[in-house]
Amino acid sequence: MEASAVLVALFLLLLITKWHGDRLYRFAALPAFFGHLFISIIVLPRLPYTWDIDQFHDVASAFVSGELVSTSSTVATYGTFQGLLYVFFPSEPVTAAVFNGLFAVLVYIPVAYLYRSLYPWMSDHSYGVMALILYLPLPFLFFSLPMRDALSAFSFISLLALGVYALRGRDAAVGLTMVPLWGMVFLLRPELGLVGLIGFGAAGSVKLIRSLGLELSIPSLAVVLGGLGALGFGLFAGVLYSFEAVNAELAYRAKGGAVYLDGMQYSSWFDFLLAAPGRAIYFIFTPFPLHVESVFHLLAFTATPIVIVLFVSAIRSLYECEFDETVAVLLVVVFLAGSAGYGAINSNFGTGVRHRMTLEFILVIVAAPVISRWELLVGEWLGVVPRHGGEHDEQQRKAQKLDCHVEARREYPDEAGE
């Protein structure tokens, strides 16, 4: 039975959430964890889809028995991790699903650090951000499955948080701990590993410009981002895919009932670059309404309005609010590079919604001020937050409004860069 895995994962969850110190997070994490268990144990066996579950299970079983399996490096990596779980717990896919539920809940910890680093003036607690991270519909479903999505998202967001901590504190020791974590991310999802490198390159360049006392102007930023864009394209073409492999991947992805832009092939690398912005838009916002032809398509479509709202809210937050430039550049570059890279080869929104989940979390982080404003409005509507409370309540309300840059300069002049 998987009871032993559940007990160990639950113990780790209670231990880590107690260490984190946010009582409401601990209370919110428990139902989220049990919700993941419900999907993995009760719902999953009744779904008509198997995705790549059997591939990972076969690799894990072969690992336990000492056999070698010929498969891709990414499947082999997560299959090996799953095999390590099989050494201590029942050799069933649900074992991996239990620990994926744990990773899905714990991902809020690095997310919380990132949004507080991006917006230092914000309150330590944004329960709206917490609710979205724990309960966004499609991540909630896919992170419950015995596949690599939950572990790769948790590892990548943790890598970003550690990188921000190292950059802000100039902590070389923390920087060294990022190396094995980056290696794990690269083995699980090579594209995220390379995107992370580009993001840290951009953030490090901004930090260097500021440390030299130079002004961070639009031309200087354009030069930095242009150079990193060229580097990213070189890494994509030289490490991940050759030109022939890109077209082969496009053809491979253009199968099934969730296909978009089918039949498209690149004739040159210039054609590839020319199509990248449009394909990135498709990747972020598909499925479109006319793509919906089944119940599963409808489920995938429910994420589209959420992504649109988060995307607009993220832009509005950056436009209206004071933010840490280094963290902002890191997150924006990661989002843009990830969208362009995935969009270039994805032709199936069924796969795309899984690849997009980590980028949705970045949108939630960047949109945190608007989300906190929603939280206050909902609290007022429910009567939890009084409309005319004391002085402290009024200050909190003002700080969360979209003229937050005024409050940031007044209350946190150092962190606002003044």
Side-chain angles (χ1 to χ4, degrees):
M1 294 293 291
E2 63 275 355
S4 57
V6 172
L7 291 176
V8 171
L10 181 60
F11 172 76
L12 291 173
L13 176 62
L14 294 173
L15 185 66
I16 295 173
T17 53
K18 183 175 178 60
W19 162 80
H20 187 252
D22 188 333
R23 182 175 298 180
L24 187 59
Y25 168 53
R26 193 184 317 160
F27 291 146
L30 286 174
F33 176 70
F34 285 112
H36 287 291
L37 293 184
F38 176 79
I39 291 179
S40 60
I41 297 174
I42 305 299
V43 177
L44 179 59
R46 293 167 172 79
L47 291 178
Y49 302 97
T50 58
W51 293 285
D52 299 328
I53 294 174
D54 292 338
Q55 294 185 45
F56 296 119
H57 175 67
D58 291 342
V59 173
S61 300
F63 174 85
V64 174
S65 61
E67 300 175 3
L68 293 177
V69 176
S70 178
T71 185
S72 67
S73 59
T74 53
V75 173
T77 299
Y78 184 76
T80 301
F81 169 78
Q82 189 168 333
L84 290 173
L85 294 178
Y86 285 2
V87 173
F88 302 98
F89 304 105
S91 299
E92 303 171 1
V94 71
T95 296
V98 168
F99 283 90
N100 281 344
L102 175 65
F103 298 136
V105 172
L106 294 182
V107 75
Y108 172 71
I109 295 177
V111 163
Y113 178 78
L114 285 171
Y115 87 72
R116 288 197 293 264
S117 299
L118 179 60
Y119 303 109
W121 51 268
M122 280 192 67
S123 167
D124 287 343
H125 307 291
S126 177
Y127 301 124
V129 172
M130 182 191 303
L132 286 174
I133 294 298
L134 294 181
Y135 295 105
L136 275 174
L138 287 186
F140 196 88
L141 168 63
F142 285 112
F143 287 177
S144 303
L145 307 182
M147 299 194 297
R148 57 180 165 151
D149 298 311
L151 180 58
S152 59
F154 174 70
S155 301
F156 183 66
I157 298 296
S158 298
L159 177 70
L160 297 183
L162 275 177
V164 168
Y165 184 87
L167 284 172
R168 296 181 73 188
R170 299 181 182 179
D171 194 326
V174 174
L176 290 176
T177 64
M178 293 172 56
V179 176
L181 182 56
W182 179 86
M184 180 177 179
V185 171
F186 183 79
L187 289 173
L188 284 169
R189 286 206 180 276
E191 60 277 10
L192 287 182
L194 297 183
V195 164
L197 283 182
I198 297 169
F200 286 127
S205 300
V206 171
K207 193 74 173 178
L208 179 61
I209 292 172
R210 283 302 191 189
S211 65
L212 294 175
L214 302 176
E215 181 181 356
L216 187 66
S217 61
I218 297 298
S220 63
L221 191 60
V223 170
V224 170
L225 296 182
L228 287 168
L231 174 63
F233 174 72
L235 290 174
F236 180 91
V239 177
L240 286 184
Y241 296 101
S242 64
F243 184 73
E244 293 75 16
V246 167
N247 279 326
E249 190 70 15
L250 272 178
Y252 173 75
R253 299 285 184 187
K255 298 177 181 178
V259 172
Y260 63 84
L261 298 178
D262 53 318
M264 179 177 179
Q265 291 281 283
Y266 299 116
S267 58
S268 66
W269 280 121
F270 178 76
D271 188 28
F272 175 91
L273 293 174
L274 194 63
R279 292 193 65 93
I281 292 173
Y282 263 82
F283 170 71
I284 292 298
F285 298 114
T286 50
F288 300 138
L290 294 180
H291 288 144
V292 177
E293 297 178 352
S294 68
V295 174
F296 182 76
H297 294 174
L298 183 61
L299 177 63
F301 177 71
T302 59
T304 299
I306 297 174
V307 172
I308 292 173
V309 171
L310 289 176
F311 184 81
V312 173
S313 301
I315 293 176
R316 191 176 180 189
S317 294
L318 288 176
Y319 180 76
E320 297 288 347
C321 299
E322 285 289 336
F323 53 82
D324 184 290
E325 293 172 342
T326 303
V327 182
V329 167
L330 169 66
L331 296 177
V332 170
V333 168
V334 164
F335 180 82
L336 294 179
S339 301
Y342 276 124
I345 61 173
N346 265 337
S347 295
N348 186 303
F349 62 78
T351 303
V353 294
R354 288 176 49 214
H355 291 168
R356 194 176 63 199
M357 292 184 296
T358 304
L359 301 181
E360 288 177 24
F361 284 175
I362 292 178
L363 287 179
V364 172
I365 293 167
V366 179
V370 170
I371 295 170
S372 293
R373 178 58 180 159
W374 298 342
E375 179 188 333
L376 284 174
L377 293 175
V378 171
E380 288 179 351
W381 182 69
L382 295 175
V384 177
V385 177
R387 292 180 180 273
H388 302 287
E391 182 180 353
H392 174 73
D393 293 329
E394 186 63 24
Q395 289 176 349
Q396 288 294 104
R397 285 168 49 78
K398 288 182 179 179
Q400 299 298 340
K401 288 183 179 179
L402 287 179
D403 60 349
C404 49
H405 58 287
V406 177
E407 293 295 314
R409 290 194 179 100
R410 181 174 65 82
E411 296 184 30
Y412 300 91
D414 294 333
E415 293 173 326
E418 297 182 356

